[in-house]
Structures are given as C-alpha cells and as structure tokens.
Amino acid sequence: MGCTACLRRSGLTGRRGISAVKWAITLLVVVVVLLRWMGVLSNPAASSWLWGAWGLPGNGGVTAAAAAAATSREDEIHVVFCSDWKMLRVASAAVNSSVVNASRPERLVFHFLLPHQANRALFETQKRRATTLFVDWIGARRIEVHEVDVGGIVDNMMVRFDGVGPDKAYLKNEMNYARFSLPDVLPDLDKILYLDPDIVVRGDLCELWDSALRPGGRLALAAVERRRSQFWLGNPTLGGMLDFSDAEIRAKFKPKDAYFNAGVFLARLRTWKLLGYSDEMIRWMEVNAERPIYKFGSQPPMNLVFYRKYEKLEPRWNVAPGTTKGGDKELKEGRAADDAYIAEAAIIHWSGNRKPWLESTAELPTGRYRHIWWRYFTRSDEVDALLGLEH
C-alpha cells in the first residue's frame, strides 16, 4: 500500500488532515526543545527512562560502542595503572569498582603500564588476555597497554633499601617508579588520573576528574595530604620521611609539613614535562644513592619535587584502612565510628603491606575491611586461569 493510500485511509488528506499533521509536528518540536532546555535528553538515566516509557529504541538500548563513539576525546577520563603482570589480577577490582560506581562509565579509558617483555609473542598474548578481562568481562569501554623499561632502577642502586625487611619487600618493585616517566610514556595525553592497583573506588571518578586541576591552573599535580587522626597514628610529616640532619634537606624543606600519598593523584603531564619534574625525581634518587636522605621507596622523590606545589584533594579520595599501629585506637570493623569513617571513603587504598587479598598469618594480619575489596573482585578462579596465574 502506498503512502498516499495510507493517508487517505487515515483521513489525513485535505486541508483538515494537512493542518492536523502540521500541528502534530509543531507539538513534537516544542516538546523536544522543552526537554532539551530542561536537560532531560542530556541526562543518560532520564533519557533512558523516557525512551523506554514511550516504547522507542532510544538511549536505553545504546551499545557500548555507540556510547564510546558519542564520547569526545575532550570528555575522556584517562585512568593510569602501573603494574607488573601478576598485579593485573589485583587491578581488576579497581577497574570493576571504577566502572560500577561512575555516573558515566563510558568516559573512562584505562591505561596499563607494564614492564618491557623481550618475548614479543608472550607480550601480545598478555595484551589479549588483559583486553578479555577488563573489556569483555568487566565492561570497561577501552584499555590501552603501554610497555615501560624502568632501566633496572633497583639493580643500578639508584634506590636505597637500607633497613628494609621482608615486610617491606613491595617497596622494591620497579614498577613503583614507572609513574615517574608518565609524560614520556603517554606523550599524547595531558590530564591523567593515576591509581595504585591496590584500591577500590566507591565514589564517582567523573566527579573527581571534573573538580580538580581545572583548565587554566598552573599546578601539575593534585593529591591527598596525609593527616594525623584517630585512625592514622603514623607520622604524616616530612620529618618522618626525610633525614633532616642533611644540610640540603634542612635548607629546602620543613620537617613539620605534611606529605601526600602518591597512590592516588591527578596530573597535568604537559606541565610536568615542561618543568622537568621527571629529571628532578631522578636527581633526588641519585642523591639518595650517594647519601641516605629519605626512606619509603618511591614516595619521597615525588614529595620532594612537588613540595608545596600541588593541589590538595579532599581526604575521602585516598583513605587507608590499614595504616594504624595497634592499641585501643586500631581501626576495627563493626565499631560505629570506624565503619562510618570507611563509609565516607570515595577511594579505599590498602597501602602498606596489609593487603585484602592476602590471608592472615601470625606475622602479618590481612587488610582491614577486606570484604569491600572482595565485593569487586569476582570470578577469582576464572581470572587466575585467564592470566595464567597460580593460586
């Protein structure tokens, strides 16, 4: 049946019919303009409900590929992890929680900096496995894998580990220092969000990204300043990190100033590179190799370089549940104040050696609030099989 016949049967011919069509089109245009003005069509959740209520294939049926195509490069959030192959298992909880709790997960692009692999066939296999894990299983929009050659930093004695026992062995992982070369590894990016693999994201990374290091600023870094509190009994000052008997340290820094934790930070890589911050970090490492001026592995070089030159993020964006030192004030699950403290955390970071995926031993208890990490680390047997890891 032709269109003309359809119109005749529906009575939409003649002046009355044509007038009715015009009014219908005009009404539709007015409704669309009104919805756009109200912001409904730009809100994914609202527009999804709207199309579903009308029975139309709209935003509710958008595929991941279509959502990715609709996200402009300027709108992307580049999340960076530095990891060895085994820690990809751990990072799956970080990626999963980031995707699940983001208001617009299609904005998230994940970058993994992995150590250089001489066996090219093996490296390509690892890349395919990582894509299967993070994109196909977890639902990340896109991942990119980058090789990093840290140049044998530990072997070349640019890092001192005087007095570091087995309980601090994690400080010797060379990939901890890969973040120093971010501007060279990611030359096409400006703003990035760096995360350690041992975290869980409970807040919205879109909120964090949009609220800090905004365009036009001069700073290259934003991080959470360590603070002494009833839940953190360590020494959060430079006096506990640096050796102030050294003349250069004493001249340039104040022992009572707080330091930041470099496990969560936003960075402007072009400003970082322009001001030569990576070279400064290497210089401090060389100084420390000649004479001991700091401890704690990869944290001090960044604090030395960005001393009083970083934007302070809200404390909730880097909450460590495993850094208290015992006694009545030790963080305990089930105690109201402690649970409320963790509930407010937007990012939980199991810094230190008490990791939530490790079982407790007589020498080392497991990480507190580990059930939160396990909530996002699913299909553990399948993940281990995929990555070729043993339990």
Side-chain angles (χ1 to χ4, degrees):
M1 181 182 297
C3 293
T4 302
C6 290
L7 290 173
R8 287 194 182 115
R9 292 193 60 179
S10 64
L12 296 179
T13 56
R15 290 186 177 180
R16 287 187 177 181
I18 294 173
S19 178
V21 171
K22 287 182 177 179
W23 275 106
I25 293 174
T26 302
L27 179 61
L28 179 61
V29 170
V30 170
V31 170
V32 171
V33 171
L34 181 61
L35 290 174
R36 287 182 63 86
W37 177 76
M38 294 172 63
V40 173
L41 295 183
S42 61
N43 184 306
S47 58
S48 176
W49 173 87
L50 181 64
W51 296 126
W54 286 354
L56 297 175
N59 199 52
V62 171
T63 64
T71 303
S72 67
R73 187 167 179 81
E74 292 74 18
D75 206 29
E76 291 176 340
I77 298 173
H78 295 276
V79 184
V80 180
F81 294 92
C82 295
S83 171
D84 58 25
W85 182 243
K86 291 184 178 181
M87 284 297 287
L88 281 184
R89 175 184 191 268
V90 173
S92 65
V95 173
N96 188 27
S97 60
S98 298
V99 171
V100 168
N101 293 311
S103 58
R104 291 184 57 196
E106 70 275 7
R107 293 180 64 187
L108 304 178
V109 179
F110 296 95
H111 299 260
F112 291 90
L113 276 58
L114 297 175
H116 174 71
Q117 176 61 260
N119 186 329
R120 304 314 300 163
L122 177 59
F123 184 75
E124 291 303 321
T125 298
Q126 291 175 338
K127 286 177 62 175
R128 288 194 297 271
R129 289 173 172 175
T131 300
T132 298
L133 172 59
F134 294 112
V135 177
D136 298 341
W137 290 9
I138 293 179
R141 168 194 163 193
R142 186 172 93 237
I143 72 163
E144 296 184 10
V145 177
H146 312 266
E147 278 188 291
V148 180
D149 187 355
V150 291
I153 289 177
V154 174
D155 294 338
N156 292 335
M157 296 304 294
M158 291 181 66
V159 182
R160 298 180 64 99
F161 291 107
D162 298 343
V164 173
D167 62 326
K168 298 289 186 180
Y170 61 91
L171 293 176
K172 299 183 180 181
N173 189 328
E174 290 185 351
M175 291 307 295
N176 288 333
Y177 303 87
R179 57 189 139 181
F180 295 176
S181 59
L182 287 174
D184 297 321
V185 178
L186 305 169
D188 296 329
L189 299 182
D190 181 20
K191 187 177 180 180
I192 63 97
L193 169 61
Y194 172 86
L195 298 176
D196 272 352
D198 55 351
I199 61 102
V200 155
V201 178
R202 304 183 78 190
D204 181 6
L205 292 186
C206 301
E207 176 192 352
L208 173 60
W209 181 271
D210 294 336
S211 65
L213 289 189
R214 294 180 177 178
R218 297 182 179 181
L219 298 176
L221 194 87
V224 173
E225 181 181 81
R226 278 280 192 240
R227 296 180 178 179
R228 182 184 293 274
S229 71
Q230 62 174 317
F231 302 109
W232 203 88
L233 306 181
N235 185 355
T237 67
L238 291 179
M241 174 185 285
L242 307 179
D243 182 2
F244 277 86
S245 67
D246 183 89
E248 184 178 9
I249 294 296
R250 196 165 54 250
K252 295 180 177 180
F253 307 97
K254 301 297 182 183
K256 292 185 178 181
D257 283 354
Y259 63 81
F260 63 85
N261 176 269
V264 177
F265 64 82
L266 286 153
R268 290 280 185 186
L269 298 186
R270 290 171 188 163
T271 303
W272 180 324
K273 187 174 182 66
L274 180 65
L275 298 178
Y277 289 148
S278 292
D279 291 338
E280 279 193 56
M281 292 177 204
I282 296 299
R283 188 190 80 81
W284 281 115
M285 292 172 68
E286 291 172 341
V287 170
N288 194 57
E290 295 173 0
R291 63 184 195 273
I293 59 171
Y294 63 72
K295 54 185 178 180
F296 301 148
S298 60
Q299 297 281 336
M302 291 193 66
N303 274 273
L304 290 166
V305 170
F306 291 104
Y307 178 63
R308 295 185 176 180
K309 293 183 292 189
Y310 69 94
E311 179 181 338
K312 295 178 183 179
L313 299 175
E314 294 180 40
R316 65 191 178 97
W317 290 110
N318 191 347
V319 174
T323 52
T324 56
K325 295 187 176 181
D328 293 337
K329 291 186 177 180
E330 180 176 353
L331 203 63
K332 289 182 174 64
E333 295 182 55
R335 190 160 56 188
D338 303 43
D339 291 349
Y341 170 72
I342 292 298
E344 294 175 358
I347 292 180
I348 301 177
H349 180 196
W350 283 270
S351 59
N353 55 2
R354 297 182 63 169
K355 305 300 186 185
W357 57 88
L358 299 178
E359 296 298 331
S360 291
T361 65
E363 297 77 22
L364 183 65
T366 187
R368 304 181 187 96
Y369 292 91
R370 67 194 305 256
H371 69 278
I372 297 175
W373 186 85
W374 280 97
R375 185 182 304 160
Y376 294 101
F377 179 67
T378 58
R379 305 167 67 173
S380 59
D381 292 338
E382 294 177 79
V383 170
D384 289 348
L386 172 67
L387 299 180
L389 300 176
E390 298 179 357
H391 288 286

